[in-house]
PDB file of all heavy atoms in Angstrom:
ATOM      1  N   SER A   2      -9.931-132.465-195.974  1.00 41.00           N
ATOM      2  CA  SER A   2      -8.981-131.978-196.963  1.00 41.00           C
ATOM      3  C   SER A   2      -8.314-133.122-197.706  1.00 41.00           C
ATOM      4  O   SER A   2      -7.673-132.923-198.718  1.00 41.00           O
ATOM      5  CB  SER A   2      -7.916-131.125-196.280  1.00 41.00           C
ATOM      6  OG  SER A   2      -7.221-131.928-195.315  1.00 41.00           O
ATOM      7  N   LYS A   7      -3.268-139.658-192.768  1.00 95.00           N
ATOM      8  CA  LYS A   7      -2.066-138.829-192.721  1.00 95.00           C
ATOM      9  C   LYS A   7      -1.001-139.562-191.919  1.00 95.00           C
ATOM     10  O   LYS A   7      -1.174-139.856-190.749  1.00 95.00           O
ATOM     11  CB  LYS A   7      -2.373-137.485-192.034  1.00 95.00           C
ATOM     12  CG  LYS A   7      -3.160-136.545-192.902  1.00 95.00           C
ATOM     13  CD  LYS A   7      -3.193-135.145-192.322  1.00 95.00           C
ATOM     14  CE  LYS A   7      -3.834-134.196-193.296  1.00 95.00           C
ATOM     15  NZ  LYS A   7      -5.226-134.555-193.637  1.00 95.00           N
ATOM     16  N   ARG A  28       2.683-136.198-178.999  1.00 98.00           N
ATOM     17  CA  ARG A  28       1.907-135.013-179.394  1.00 98.00           C
ATOM     18  C   ARG A  28       1.552-135.037-180.881  1.00 98.00           C
ATOM     19  O   ARG A  28       0.489-134.571-181.283  1.00 98.00           O
ATOM     20  CB  ARG A  28       2.684-133.746-179.008  1.00 98.00           C
ATOM     21  CG  ARG A  28       2.618-133.498-177.485  1.00 98.00           C
ATOM     22  CD  ARG A  28       3.383-132.248-177.077  1.00 98.00           C
ATOM     23  NE  ARG A  28       4.811-132.466-177.116  1.00 98.00           N
ATOM     24  CZ  ARG A  28       5.734-131.616-177.583  1.00 98.00           C
ATOM     25  NH1 ARG A  28       5.330-130.464-178.083  1.00 98.00           N
ATOM     26  NH2 ARG A  28       6.996-131.923-177.543  1.00 98.00           N
ATOM     27  N   ASP A  31      -1.843-136.528-182.242  1.00 94.00           N
ATOM     28  CA  ASP A  31      -3.046-135.699-182.360  1.00 94.00           C
ATOM     29  C   ASP A  31      -3.261-135.207-183.767  1.00 94.00           C
ATOM     30  O   ASP A  31      -4.381-134.970-184.208  1.00 94.00           O
ATOM     31  CB  ASP A  31      -2.962-134.493-181.416  1.00 94.00           C
ATOM     32  CG  ASP A  31      -3.367-134.849-180.014  1.00 94.00           C
ATOM     33  OD1 ASP A  31      -3.916-135.928-179.792  1.00 94.00           O
ATOM     34  OD2 ASP A  31      -3.122-134.008-179.129  1.00 94.00           O
ATOM     35  N   MET A  32      -2.138-134.980-184.478  1.00 95.00           N
ATOM     36  CA  MET A  32      -2.252-134.384-185.808  1.00 95.00           C
ATOM     37  C   MET A  32      -2.232-135.396-186.912  1.00 95.00           C
ATOM     38  O   MET A  32      -2.746-135.157-188.000  1.00 95.00           O
ATOM     39  CB  MET A  32      -1.065-133.459-186.048  1.00 95.00           C
ATOM     40  CG  MET A  32      -0.959-132.303-185.134  1.00 95.00           C
ATOM     41  SD  MET A  32       0.578-131.424-185.508  1.00 95.00           S
ATOM     42  CE  MET A  32       0.345-131.140-187.268  1.00 95.00           C
ATOM     43  N   ASP A  34      -2.508-139.576-188.318  1.00 96.00           N
ATOM     44  CA  ASP A  34      -3.170-140.826-188.029  1.00 96.00           C
ATOM     45  C   ASP A  34      -2.146-141.909-187.616  1.00 96.00           C
ATOM     46  O   ASP A  34      -2.460-142.783-186.844  1.00 96.00           O
ATOM     47  CB  ASP A  34      -3.946-141.305-189.264  1.00 96.00           C
ATOM     48  CG  ASP A  34      -4.969-140.291-189.629  1.00 96.00           C
ATOM     49  OD1 ASP A  34      -5.902-140.093-188.841  1.00 96.00           O
ATOM     50  OD2 ASP A  34      -4.850-139.634-190.716  1.00 96.00           O
ATOM     51  N   ARG A  69      -0.713-147.243-183.736  1.00 98.00           N
ATOM     52  CA  ARG A  69      -0.584-145.955-184.451  1.00 98.00           C
ATOM     53  C   ARG A  69       0.847-145.471-184.536  1.00 98.00           C
ATOM     54  O   ARG A  69       1.159-144.525-185.261  1.00 98.00           O
ATOM     55  CB  ARG A  69      -1.509-144.892-183.823  1.00 98.00           C
ATOM     56  CG  ARG A  69      -2.969-145.208-184.091  1.00 98.00           C
ATOM     57  CD  ARG A  69      -3.888-144.166-183.539  1.00 98.00           C
ATOM     58  NE  ARG A  69      -3.546-142.848-184.030  1.00 98.00           N
ATOM     59  CZ  ARG A  69      -3.641-141.731-183.309  1.00 98.00           C
ATOM     60  NH1 ARG A  69      -4.135-141.805-182.064  1.00 98.00           N
ATOM     61  NH2 ARG A  69      -3.315-140.602-183.792  1.00 98.00           N
ATOM     62  N   ARG A  89       3.779-138.030-196.595  1.00 97.00           N
ATOM     63  CA  ARG A  89       4.194-136.731-197.168  1.00 97.00           C
ATOM     64  C   ARG A  89       4.690-135.791-196.077  1.00 97.00           C
ATOM     65  O   ARG A  89       4.938-134.600-196.340  1.00 97.00           O
ATOM     66  CB  ARG A  89       3.001-136.109-197.911  1.00 97.00           C
ATOM     67  CG  ARG A  89       2.750-136.811-199.215  1.00 97.00           C
ATOM     68  CD  ARG A  89       1.440-136.406-199.844  1.00 97.00           C
ATOM     69  NE  ARG A  89       1.371-134.946-199.860  1.00 97.00           N
ATOM     70  CZ  ARG A  89       0.234-134.283-199.611  1.00 97.00           C
ATOM     71  NH1 ARG A  89      -0.870-134.911-199.333  1.00 97.00           N
ATOM     72  NH2 ARG A  89       0.233-132.965-199.639  1.00 97.00           N
ATOM     73  N   TYR A  90       4.863-136.276-194.871  1.00 98.00           N
ATOM     74  CA  TYR A  90       5.259-135.430-193.754  1.00 98.00           C
ATOM     75  C   TYR A  90       6.469-136.014-193.033  1.00 98.00           C
ATOM     76  O   TYR A  90       6.455-137.175-192.621  1.00 98.00           O
ATOM     77  CB  TYR A  90       4.127-135.254-192.772  1.00 98.00           C
ATOM     78  CG  TYR A  90       2.882-134.764-193.423  1.00 98.00           C
ATOM     79  CD1 TYR A  90       1.860-135.648-193.763  1.00 98.00           C
ATOM     80  CD2 TYR A  90       2.749-133.425-193.761  1.00 98.00           C
ATOM     81  CE1 TYR A  90       0.715-135.185-194.426  1.00 98.00           C
ATOM     82  CE2 TYR A  90       1.617-132.975-194.429  1.00 98.00           C
ATOM     83  CZ  TYR A  90       0.619-133.864-194.756  1.00 98.00           C
ATOM     84  OH  TYR A  90      -0.495-133.434-195.429  1.00 98.00           O
ATOM     85  N   ARG A  96      14.665-128.082-180.499  1.00 96.00           N
ATOM     86  CA  ARG A  96      15.066-127.711-179.134  1.00 96.00           C
ATOM     87  C   ARG A  96      15.693-126.338-179.062  1.00 96.00           C
ATOM     88  O   ARG A  96      15.268-125.491-178.303  1.00 96.00           O
ATOM     89  CB  ARG A  96      16.058-128.738-178.591  1.00 96.00           C
ATOM     90  CG  ARG A  96      15.451-130.136-178.426  1.00 96.00           C
ATOM     91  CD  ARG A  96      16.510-131.113-178.043  1.00 96.00           C
ATOM     92  NE  ARG A  96      17.590-131.019-179.043  1.00 96.00           N
ATOM     93  CZ  ARG A  96      18.753-131.586-178.938  1.00 96.00           C
ATOM     94  NH1 ARG A  96      19.051-132.254-177.867  1.00 96.00           N
ATOM     95  NH2 ARG A  96      19.682-131.466-179.870  1.00 96.00           N
ATOM     96  N   THR A  97      16.734-126.108-179.885  1.00 95.00           N
ATOM     97  CA  THR A  97      17.529-124.898-179.714  1.00 95.00           C
ATOM     98  C   THR A  97      17.750-124.211-181.077  1.00 95.00           C
ATOM     99  O   THR A  97      17.471-124.785-182.125  1.00 95.00           O
ATOM    100  CB  THR A  97      18.911-125.228-179.133  1.00 95.00           C
ATOM    101  OG1 THR A  97      19.614-126.005-180.120  1.00 95.00           O
ATOM    102  CG2 THR A  97      18.799-126.022-177.849  1.00 95.00           C
ATOM    103  N   PHE A 101      17.899-125.656-184.865  1.00 96.00           N
ATOM    104  CA  PHE A 101      17.069-125.088-185.921  1.00 96.00           C
ATOM    105  C   PHE A 101      17.866-124.913-187.213  1.00 96.00           C
ATOM    106  O   PHE A 101      17.391-125.264-188.280  1.00 96.00           O
ATOM    107  CB  PHE A 101      16.469-123.735-185.474  1.00 96.00           C
ATOM    108  CG  PHE A 101      15.807-123.035-186.635  1.00 96.00           C
ATOM    109  CD1 PHE A 101      14.632-123.490-187.148  1.00 96.00           C
ATOM    110  CD2 PHE A 101      16.453-121.945-187.234  1.00 96.00           C
ATOM    111  CE1 PHE A 101      14.011-122.848-188.227  1.00 96.00           C
ATOM    112  CE2 PHE A 101      15.868-121.309-188.299  1.00 96.00           C
ATOM    113  CZ  PHE A 101      14.664-121.766-188.805  1.00 96.00           C
ATOM    114  N   ARG A 105      16.877-126.852-190.539  1.00 97.00           N
ATOM    115  CA  ARG A 105      16.407-126.090-191.705  1.00 97.00           C
ATOM    116  C   ARG A 105      17.172-126.510-192.929  1.00 97.00           C
ATOM    117  O   ARG A 105      16.577-126.690-194.016  1.00 97.00           O
ATOM    118  CB  ARG A 105      16.615-124.587-191.433  1.00 97.00           C
ATOM    119  CG  ARG A 105      16.064-123.736-192.573  1.00 97.00           C
ATOM    120  CD  ARG A 105      16.264-122.224-192.307  1.00 97.00           C
ATOM    121  NE  ARG A 105      17.653-121.916-192.066  1.00 97.00           N
ATOM    122  CZ  ARG A 105      18.102-120.717-191.733  1.00 97.00           C
ATOM    123  NH1 ARG A 105      17.230-119.720-191.549  1.00 97.00           N
ATOM    124  NH2 ARG A 105      19.406-120.526-191.543  1.00 97.00           N
ATOM    125  N   GLN A 109      15.240-128.114-196.044  1.00 97.00           N
ATOM    126  CA  GLN A 109      15.157-127.403-197.341  1.00 97.00           C
ATOM    127  C   GLN A 109      15.836-128.227-198.432  1.00 97.00           C
ATOM    128  O   GLN A 109      15.406-128.152-199.593  1.00 97.00           O
ATOM    129  CB  GLN A 109      15.776-125.990-197.194  1.00 97.00           C
ATOM    130  CG  GLN A 109      14.890-125.110-196.298  1.00 97.00           C
ATOM    131  CD  GLN A 109      15.406-123.684-196.164  1.00 97.00           C
ATOM    132  OE1 GLN A 109      16.581-123.422-196.335  1.00 97.00           O
ATOM    133  NE2 GLN A 109      14.525-122.775-195.789  1.00 97.00           N
ATOM    134  N   GLU A 119       6.732-132.289-196.883  1.00 98.00           N
ATOM    135  CA  GLU A 119       6.808-131.129-195.970  1.00 98.00           C
ATOM    136  C   GLU A 119       7.383-131.582-194.651  1.00 98.00           C
ATOM    137  O   GLU A 119       6.979-132.630-194.107  1.00 98.00           O
ATOM    138  CB  GLU A 119       5.378-130.597-195.754  1.00 98.00           C
ATOM    139  CG  GLU A 119       5.264-129.275-195.142  1.00 98.00           C
ATOM    140  CD  GLU A 119       5.724-128.145-196.063  1.00 98.00           C
ATOM    141  OE1 GLU A 119       5.519-128.210-197.278  1.00 98.00           O
ATOM    142  OE2 GLU A 119       6.334-127.203-195.534  1.00 98.00           O
ATOM    143  N   PHE A 122       7.463-129.222-187.781  1.00 98.00           N
ATOM    144  CA  PHE A 122       8.252-129.161-186.536  1.00 98.00           C
ATOM    145  C   PHE A 122       7.350-128.909-185.326  1.00 98.00           C
ATOM    146  O   PHE A 122       6.462-128.074-185.352  1.00 98.00           O
ATOM    147  CB  PHE A 122       9.233-127.979-186.603  1.00 98.00           C
ATOM    148  CG  PHE A 122      10.273-128.110-187.678  1.00 98.00           C
ATOM    149  CD1 PHE A 122      10.129-127.511-188.916  1.00 98.00           C
ATOM    150  CD2 PHE A 122      11.397-128.889-187.433  1.00 98.00           C
ATOM    151  CE1 PHE A 122      11.099-127.625-189.883  1.00 98.00           C
ATOM    152  CE2 PHE A 122      12.394-129.009-188.436  1.00 98.00           C
ATOM    153  CZ  PHE A 122      12.221-128.399-189.657  1.00 98.00           C
TER     154      PHE A 122
ATOM    155  N   SER B   2      -7.675-140.498-186.808  1.00 41.00           N
ATOM    156  CA  SER B   2      -7.284-140.264-185.428  1.00 41.00           C
ATOM    157  C   SER B   2      -8.238-139.318-184.720  1.00 41.00           C
ATOM    158  O   SER B   2      -8.190-139.212-183.517  1.00 41.00           O
ATOM    159  CB  SER B   2      -5.892-139.636-185.399  1.00 41.00           C
ATOM    160  OG  SER B   2      -5.915-138.382-186.101  1.00 41.00           O
ATOM    161  N   LYS B   7      -9.797-130.664-188.518  1.00 95.00           N
ATOM    162  CA  LYS B   7      -8.593-130.048-187.938  1.00 95.00           C
ATOM    163  C   LYS B   7      -8.482-128.607-188.405  1.00 95.00           C
ATOM    164  O   LYS B   7      -8.342-128.344-189.608  1.00 95.00           O
ATOM    165  CB  LYS B   7      -7.363-130.830-188.376  1.00 95.00           C
ATOM    166  CG  LYS B   7      -7.202-132.117-187.646  1.00 95.00           C
ATOM    167  CD  LYS B   7      -5.849-132.737-187.874  1.00 95.00           C
ATOM    168  CE  LYS B   7      -5.666-133.979-187.035  1.00 95.00           C
ATOM    169  NZ  LYS B   7      -6.704-135.038-187.300  1.00 95.00           N
ATOM    170  N   ARG B  28       0.666-124.303-197.862  1.00 98.00           N
ATOM    171  CA  ARG B  28       1.213-125.632-197.546  1.00 98.00           C
ATOM    172  C   ARG B  28       0.471-126.240-196.339  1.00 98.00           C
ATOM    173  O   ARG B  28       0.292-127.442-196.262  1.00 98.00           O
ATOM    174  CB  ARG B  28       2.708-125.529-197.285  1.00 98.00           C
ATOM    175  CG  ARG B  28       3.476-125.364-198.637  1.00 98.00           C
ATOM    176  CD  ARG B  28       4.951-125.253-198.421  1.00 98.00           C
ATOM    177  NE  ARG B  28       5.335-123.943-197.916  1.00 98.00           N
ATOM    178  CZ  ARG B  28       6.206-123.712-196.969  1.00 98.00           C
ATOM    179  NH1 ARG B  28       6.860-124.725-196.390  1.00 98.00           N
ATOM    180  NH2 ARG B  28       6.481-122.483-196.566  1.00 98.00           N
ATOM    181  N   ASP B  31      -2.618-128.647-196.734  1.00 94.00           N
ATOM    182  CA  ASP B  31      -2.493-130.081-196.902  1.00 94.00           C
ATOM    183  C   ASP B  31      -2.686-130.838-195.582  1.00 94.00           C
ATOM    184  O   ASP B  31      -3.091-131.994-195.581  1.00 94.00           O
ATOM    185  CB  ASP B  31      -1.073-130.419-197.412  1.00 94.00           C
ATOM    186  CG  ASP B  31      -0.987-130.288-198.920  1.00 94.00           C
ATOM    187  OD1 ASP B  31      -2.046-130.128-199.575  1.00 94.00           O
ATOM    188  OD2 ASP B  31       0.135-130.305-199.436  1.00 94.00           O
ATOM    189  N   MET B  32      -2.321-130.174-194.475  1.00 95.00           N
ATOM    190  CA  MET B  32      -2.359-130.861-193.191  1.00 95.00           C
ATOM    191  C   MET B  32      -3.631-130.572-192.416  1.00 95.00           C
ATOM    192  O   MET B  32      -4.045-131.384-191.587  1.00 95.00           O
ATOM    193  CB  MET B  32      -1.217-130.352-192.300  1.00 95.00           C
ATOM    194  CG  MET B  32       0.142-130.663-192.833  1.00 95.00           C
ATOM    195  SD  MET B  32       1.339-129.925-191.705  1.00 95.00           S
ATOM    196  CE  MET B  32       0.818-130.684-190.151  1.00 95.00           C
ATOM    197  N   ASP B  34      -7.747-129.048-192.232  1.00 96.00           N
ATOM    198  CA  ASP B  34      -8.958-128.865-193.023  1.00 96.00           C
ATOM    199  C   ASP B  34      -9.279-127.413-193.237  1.00 96.00           C
ATOM    200  O   ASP B  34      -9.883-127.040-194.246  1.00 96.00           O
ATOM    201  CB  ASP B  34     -10.124-129.567-192.312  1.00 96.00           C
ATOM    202  CG  ASP B  34      -9.834-131.046-192.121  1.00 96.00           C
ATOM    203  OD1 ASP B  34      -9.714-131.733-193.150  1.00 96.00           O
ATOM    204  OD2 ASP B  34      -9.684-131.496-190.969  1.00 96.00           O
ATOM    205  N   ARG B  69     -11.688-122.686-197.383  1.00 97.00           N
ATOM    206  CA  ARG B  69     -10.820-123.367-196.404  1.00 97.00           C
ATOM    207  C   ARG B  69      -9.896-122.407-195.685  1.00 97.00           C
ATOM    208  O   ARG B  69      -9.236-122.814-194.718  1.00 97.00           O
ATOM    209  CB  ARG B  69     -10.046-124.523-197.099  1.00 97.00           C
ATOM    210  CG  ARG B  69     -11.036-125.640-197.477  1.00 97.00           C
ATOM    211  CD  ARG B  69     -10.339-126.803-198.105  1.00 97.00           C
ATOM    212  NE  ARG B  69      -9.276-127.293-197.248  1.00 97.00           N
ATOM    213  CZ  ARG B  69      -8.125-127.762-197.696  1.00 97.00           C
ATOM    214  NH1 ARG B  69      -7.897-127.827-199.006  1.00 97.00           N
ATOM    215  NH2 ARG B  69      -7.218-128.190-196.855  1.00 97.00           N
ATOM    216  N   ARG B  89      -7.044-126.421-182.057  1.00 97.00           N
ATOM    217  CA  ARG B  89      -6.020-126.837-181.097  1.00 97.00           C
ATOM    218  C   ARG B  89      -4.622-126.666-181.673  1.00 97.00           C
ATOM    219  O   ARG B  89      -3.638-127.098-181.070  1.00 97.00           O
ATOM    220  CB  ARG B  89      -6.247-128.308-180.763  1.00 97.00           C
ATOM    221  CG  ARG B  89      -7.448-128.459-179.841  1.00 97.00           C
ATOM    222  CD  ARG B  89      -7.857-129.898-179.683  1.00 97.00           C
ATOM    223  NE  ARG B  89      -6.708-130.719-179.358  1.00 97.00           N
ATOM    224  CZ  ARG B  89      -6.472-131.945-179.832  1.00 97.00           C
ATOM    225  NH1 ARG B  89      -7.328-132.506-180.658  1.00 97.00           N
ATOM    226  NH2 ARG B  89      -5.401-132.620-179.481  1.00 97.00           N
ATOM    227  N   TYR B  90      -4.533-125.980-182.842  1.00 98.00           N
ATOM    228  CA  TYR B  90      -3.244-125.819-183.466  1.00 98.00           C
ATOM    229  C   TYR B  90      -2.945-124.385-183.791  1.00 98.00           C
ATOM    230  O   TYR B  90      -3.789-123.720-184.428  1.00 98.00           O
ATOM    231  CB  TYR B  90      -3.144-126.646-184.762  1.00 98.00           C
ATOM    232  CG  TYR B  90      -3.494-128.097-184.512  1.00 98.00           C
ATOM    233  CD1 TYR B  90      -4.768-128.587-184.804  1.00 98.00           C
ATOM    234  CD2 TYR B  90      -2.553-128.947-183.934  1.00 98.00           C
ATOM    235  CE1 TYR B  90      -5.092-129.915-184.533  1.00 98.00           C
ATOM    236  CE2 TYR B  90      -2.894-130.283-183.661  1.00 98.00           C
ATOM    237  CZ  TYR B  90      -4.141-130.750-183.969  1.00 98.00           C
ATOM    238  OH  TYR B  90      -4.453-132.046-183.685  1.00 98.00           O
ATOM    239  N   ARG B  96      11.663-118.692-190.142  1.00 96.00           N
ATOM    240  CA  ARG B  96      12.629-118.216-191.144  1.00 96.00           C
ATOM    241  C   ARG B  96      14.075-118.367-190.660  1.00 96.00           C
ATOM    242  O   ARG B  96      14.889-118.959-191.319  1.00 96.00           O
ATOM    243  CB  ARG B  96      12.361-116.755-191.485  1.00 96.00           C
ATOM    244  CG  ARG B  96      11.026-116.542-192.190  1.00 96.00           C
ATOM    245  CD  ARG B  96      10.797-115.075-192.339  1.00 96.00           C
ATOM    246  NE  ARG B  96      10.871-114.432-191.035  1.00 96.00           N
ATOM    247  CZ  ARG B  96      10.953-113.154-190.760  1.00 96.00           C
ATOM    248  NH1 ARG B  96      10.956-112.311-191.805  1.00 96.00           N
ATOM    249  NH2 ARG B  96      11.060-112.681-189.578  1.00 96.00           N
ATOM    250  N   THR B  97      14.368-117.805-189.472  1.00 95.00           N
ATOM    251  CA  THR B  97      15.739-117.715-189.030  1.00 95.00           C
ATOM    252  C   THR B  97      15.870-118.169-187.608  1.00 95.00           C
ATOM    253  O   THR B  97      14.913-118.349-186.871  1.00 95.00           O
ATOM    254  CB  THR B  97      16.231-116.246-189.118  1.00 95.00           C
ATOM    255  OG1 THR B  97      15.478-115.511-188.160  1.00 95.00           O
ATOM    256  CG2 THR B  97      16.016-115.670-190.503  1.00 95.00           C
ATOM    257  N   PHE B 101      13.323-118.170-184.465  1.00 96.00           N
ATOM    258  CA  PHE B 101      13.050-119.358-183.703  1.00 96.00           C
ATOM    259  C   PHE B 101      13.035-119.098-182.220  1.00 96.00           C
ATOM    260  O   PHE B 101      12.144-119.568-181.486  1.00 96.00           O
ATOM    261  CB  PHE B 101      14.103-120.447-184.018  1.00 96.00           C
ATOM    262  CG  PHE B 101      14.004-121.623-183.079  1.00 96.00           C
ATOM    263  CD1 PHE B 101      12.964-122.511-183.182  1.00 96.00           C
ATOM    264  CD2 PHE B 101      14.933-121.786-182.056  1.00 96.00           C
ATOM    265  CE1 PHE B 101      12.835-123.583-182.282  1.00 96.00           C
ATOM    266  CE2 PHE B 101      14.825-122.834-181.164  1.00 96.00           C
ATOM    267  CZ  PHE B 101      13.760-123.720-181.271  1.00 96.00           C
ATOM    268  N   ARG B 105       9.744-119.712-180.026  1.00 97.00           N
ATOM    269  CA  ARG B 105       9.775-120.733-178.983  1.00 97.00           C
ATOM    270  C   ARG B 105       9.249-120.151-177.640  1.00 97.00           C
ATOM    271  O   ARG B 105       8.467-120.806-176.957  1.00 97.00           O
ATOM    272  CB  ARG B 105      11.211-121.263-178.810  1.00 97.00           C
ATOM    273  CG  ARG B 105      11.288-122.398-177.769  1.00 97.00           C
ATOM    274  CD  ARG B 105      12.705-122.939-177.636  1.00 97.00           C
ATOM    275  NE  ARG B 105      13.620-121.868-177.235  1.00 97.00           N
ATOM    276  CZ  ARG B 105      14.921-122.005-177.047  1.00 97.00           C
ATOM    277  NH1 ARG B 105      15.485-123.174-177.307  1.00 97.00           N
ATOM    278  NH2 ARG B 105      15.653-121.004-176.717  1.00 97.00           N
ATOM    279  N   GLN B 109       5.963-121.717-175.978  1.00 97.00           N
ATOM    280  CA  GLN B 109       6.052-122.387-174.696  1.00 97.00           C
ATOM    281  C   GLN B 109       5.228-121.662-173.639  1.00 97.00           C
ATOM    282  O   GLN B 109       4.662-122.294-172.737  1.00 97.00           O
ATOM    283  CB  GLN B 109       7.538-122.536-174.277  1.00 97.00           C
ATOM    284  CG  GLN B 109       8.278-123.519-175.192  1.00 97.00           C
ATOM    285  CD  GLN B 109       9.710-123.757-174.814  1.00 97.00           C
ATOM    286  OE1 GLN B 109      10.338-122.956-174.133  1.00 97.00           O
ATOM    287  NE2 GLN B 109      10.265-124.897-175.237  1.00 97.00           N
ATOM    288  N   GLU B 119      -1.222-126.895-179.388  1.00 98.00           N
ATOM    289  CA  GLU B 119       0.114-127.214-179.922  1.00 98.00           C
ATOM    290  C   GLU B 119       0.479-126.186-180.981  1.00 98.00           C
ATOM    291  O   GLU B 119      -0.343-125.882-181.866  1.00 98.00           O
ATOM    292  CB  GLU B 119       0.075-128.617-180.529  1.00 98.00           C
ATOM    293  CG  GLU B 119       1.390-129.237-180.799  1.00 98.00           C
ATOM    294  CD  GLU B 119       2.169-129.624-179.562  1.00 98.00           C
ATOM    295  OE1 GLU B 119       1.565-130.023-178.542  1.00 98.00           O
ATOM    296  OE2 GLU B 119       3.399-129.476-179.585  1.00 98.00           O
ATOM    297  N   PHE B 122       5.105-125.773-186.581  1.00 98.00           N
ATOM    298  CA  PHE B 122       5.926-124.878-187.372  1.00 98.00           C
ATOM    299  C   PHE B 122       6.217-125.463-188.779  1.00 98.00           C
ATOM    300  O   PHE B 122       6.568-126.652-188.866  1.00 98.00           O
ATOM    301  CB  PHE B 122       7.279-124.666-186.676  1.00 98.00           C
ATOM    302  CG  PHE B 122       7.169-123.946-185.372  1.00 98.00           C
ATOM    303  CD1 PHE B 122       7.175-124.646-184.173  1.00 98.00           C
ATOM    304  CD2 PHE B 122       7.086-122.562-185.331  1.00 98.00           C
ATOM    305  CE1 PHE B 122       7.062-123.972-182.947  1.00 98.00           C
ATOM    306  CE2 PHE B 122       6.965-121.904-184.092  1.00 98.00           C
ATOM    307  CZ  PHE B 122       6.961-122.612-182.921  1.00 98.00           C
ATOM    308  N   THR B 125       9.639-121.373-193.845  1.00 97.00           N
ATOM    309  CA  THR B 125       9.466-120.601-195.055  1.00 97.00           C
ATOM    310  C   THR B 125      10.356-121.190-196.131  1.00 97.00           C
ATOM    311  O   THR B 125      11.352-121.887-195.848  1.00 97.00           O
ATOM    312  CB  THR B 125       9.862-119.139-194.859  1.00 97.00           C
ATOM    313  OG1 THR B 125      11.178-119.094-194.353  1.00 97.00           O
ATOM    314  CG2 THR B 125       8.928-118.476-193.848  1.00 97.00           C
TER     315      THR B 125
END
Side-chain angles (χ1 to χ4, degrees):
Chain A
S2 60
K7 285 192 173 60
R28 286 180 284 138
D31 277 348
M32 296 176 56
D34 300 296
R69 291 182 53 216
R89 287 168 49 219
Y90 306 100
R96 295 173 306 169
T97 66
F101 169 73
R105 184 179 57 184
Q109 291 183 338
E119 194 70 36
F122 295 98
Chain B
S2 61
K7 285 193 175 58
R28 285 179 284 137
D31 276 349
M32 296 177 56
D34 300 297
R69 290 182 55 216
R89 287 168 50 218
Y90 305 100
R96 295 173 304 167
T97 66
F101 170 73
R105 183 179 60 182
Q109 291 183 337
E119 194 70 35
F122 295 98
T125 54

